[in-house]
């Protein structure tokens, strides 16, 4: 297909495609004449991946090039490809505070990793993210999230298994890396949304008590009779 | 204490404190002379809350005023206060795409809410967040996150219980609402960090296989002998 058709199939303007070609994010087409190149379905697929990296993952062109090189290097273990993709998108999430390796947050994270037997590299971007949140929370005077982090880690294992199931559903290495990037970024927002729903549900169960009063049994000064007991009085 | 001491205790510049006083986010001090007011520990506490709302929660001054009013209205059920705080910070998280109530994502979310028996209001900000991610993912051609959302919801219940445990640890209504806001915002990043660690661990377990080859048993064309079997050959 010509570049105009590639534009139609990918939904991207010709100018964007030419930019990706110049930046080396998309392989050149086969020259059919000195001024015309032919593109294939592979180009359509690659464009979707490039777009996912740049628009959903928020990667820079240079980072996207690194991820693409990792995907294309078939001798590279798949797990390394995932790691490279994870590192590339890590910059997109702003950690709330900087923190040192000796800060309490880093220790808490290290303890958690050991407790759960997680085998991860010391440069996993999640370590700094989690440690900085723990330090920020404590430095604001809210106490320690010691108990919270353990439950978060337990929940994260469930989410990670689901994430890797989605990755395993992809057709090839490129597709898998694509799902790693898109899934990691979108998954953060998906989980944040589901978490807000669960919070309302759990908060309702704990604090609703009698709907008309809305006082939680735990914090009510006097015992609150339930609806059945009220009717009996 | 004088405003200069309030500044020292709160770590906020006098100019910021005066701004919060003008905007009605901080109650005026007791006048000790026509030009001098006295502030108490309550003011220090309120400043920490205001700061948490604006700096961590990313709330506008108007939204912060709404949340503070809800906290101060002791007749308002605590769960409503949580809801108001949740809504106020919802704007801080950018949903990747807008989506309608008839889009497949909204249906998937509604099914999930029903399946888990969650009692939540239809305006819970997490619903639109989750629905828009599901639609964005599917519209990019990655298929459905049908299976994923169920596991996310299961994990979110664990996280929400931990979140509400942290809220319950606060001393009073203001402290609880403060933990709701700070915990919701920081918790998103904390979970994102822990999720990245868990992803590496799970991905390693699934795809590492024989470390030197890095091919997952599931995707290897020929059976990969384990280390013990290799040694025996």
């Amino acid at each position: 297909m010509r570049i105009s058709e590639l534009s139609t199939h990918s939904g991207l303007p010709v100018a964007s495609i030419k930019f990706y070609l110049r930046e080396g994010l998309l392989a050149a087409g086969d020259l059919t004449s000195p001024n015309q190149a032919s593109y294939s379905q592979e180009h359509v697929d690659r464009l979707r991946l490039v777009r996912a990296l740049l628009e959903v993952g928020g990667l820079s062109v240079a980072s996207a090039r690194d991820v693409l090189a990792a995907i294309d290097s078939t001798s590279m273990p798949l797990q390394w490809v995932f790691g490279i993709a994870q590192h590339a998108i890590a910059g997109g999430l702003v950690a709330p505070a900087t923190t040192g390796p000796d800060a309490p947050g880093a220790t808490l994270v290290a303890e958690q990793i050991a407790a759960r037997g997680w085998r991860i590299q010391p440069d996993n971007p999640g370590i700094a993210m989690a440690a900085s949140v723990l330090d920020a929370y404590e430095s604001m005077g809210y106490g320690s999230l010691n108990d919270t982090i353990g439950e978060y880690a337990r929940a994260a294992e469930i989410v990670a298994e689901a994430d890797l199931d989605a990755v395993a559903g992809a057709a090839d290495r490129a597709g898998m890396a694509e799902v790693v990037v898109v899934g990691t970024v979108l998954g953060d927002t998906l989980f944040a949304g589901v978490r807000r729903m669960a919070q309302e549900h759990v908060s309702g169960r704990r604090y609703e008590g009698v709907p008309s009063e809305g006082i939680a049994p735990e914090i009510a000064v006097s015992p609150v009779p339930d609806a059945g007991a009220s009717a009996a009085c």
Side-chain angles (χ1 to χ4, degrees), chain A:
Chain A
M1 66 185 87
R2 297 183 185 181
I3 196 165
S4 59
E5 293 166 282
L6 181 58
S7 166
T8 309
H9 278 83
S10 66
L12 279 166
V14 169
S16 300
I17 296 173
K18 287 187 171 170
F19 172 74
Y20 297 155
L21 285 166
R22 272 200 310 276
E23 292 290 340
L25 299 176
L26 185 70
D30 293 326
L31 279 186
T32 50
S33 78
N35 293 318
Q36 192 140 343
S38 168
Y39 300 90
S40 64
Q41 180 60 35
E42 267 181 51
H43 287 90
V44 178
D45 293 344
R46 178 53 60 106
L47 278 177
R48 190 181 75 168
L49 171 57
V50 169
R51 196 174 184 176
L53 296 175
L54 301 179
E55 294 180 16
V56 183
L59 271 64
S60 67
V61 168
S63 293
R65 212 184 280 123
D66 291 344
V67 174
L68 292 172
I71 291 170
D72 294 336
S73 159
T74 47
S75 65
M76 187 181 283
L78 202 52
Q79 213 205 336
W80 293 13
V81 180
F82 296 167
I84 289 167
Q86 250 196 0
H87 273 84
I89 55 175
L93 258 148
V94 182
T98 52
T99 183
D102 300 328
T107 308
L108 214 54
V109 170
E111 285 170 1
Q112 197 54 233
I113 291 170
R116 302 205 74 82
W118 283 353
R119 287 174 53 211
I120 59 177
Q121 299 295 315
D123 66 344
N124 182 298
I127 297 175
M129 287 169 69
S132 64
V133 168
L134 296 172
D135 288 334
Y137 194 84
E138 197 156 357
S139 75
M140 283 187 283
Y142 300 115
S144 166
L145 285 174
N146 222 330
D147 299 331
T148 305
I149 179 101
E151 290 301 285
Y152 270 53
R154 191 159 72 88
E157 283 185 2
I158 295 172
V159 165
E161 297 282 359
D163 289 341
L164 269 295
D165 285 346
V167 169
D172 53 21
R173 281 171 68 92
M176 291 174 110
E178 195 174 340
V179 172
V180 166
V181 172
V182 174
T184 300
V185 174
L186 289 187
D188 285 340
T189 306
L190 179 61
F191 189 82
V194 179
R195 177 176 171 235
R196 278 156 183 69
M197 292 184 247
Q199 282 180 333
E200 183 180 338
H201 173 69
V202 173
S203 143
R205 209 194 54 227
R206 292 197 190 188
Y207 291 106
E208 206 169 14
V210 176
S212 60
E213 304 213 347
I215 301 169
E218 296 97 312
I219 60 164
V221 178
S222 57
V224 179
D226 65 37
S230 297
C233 288

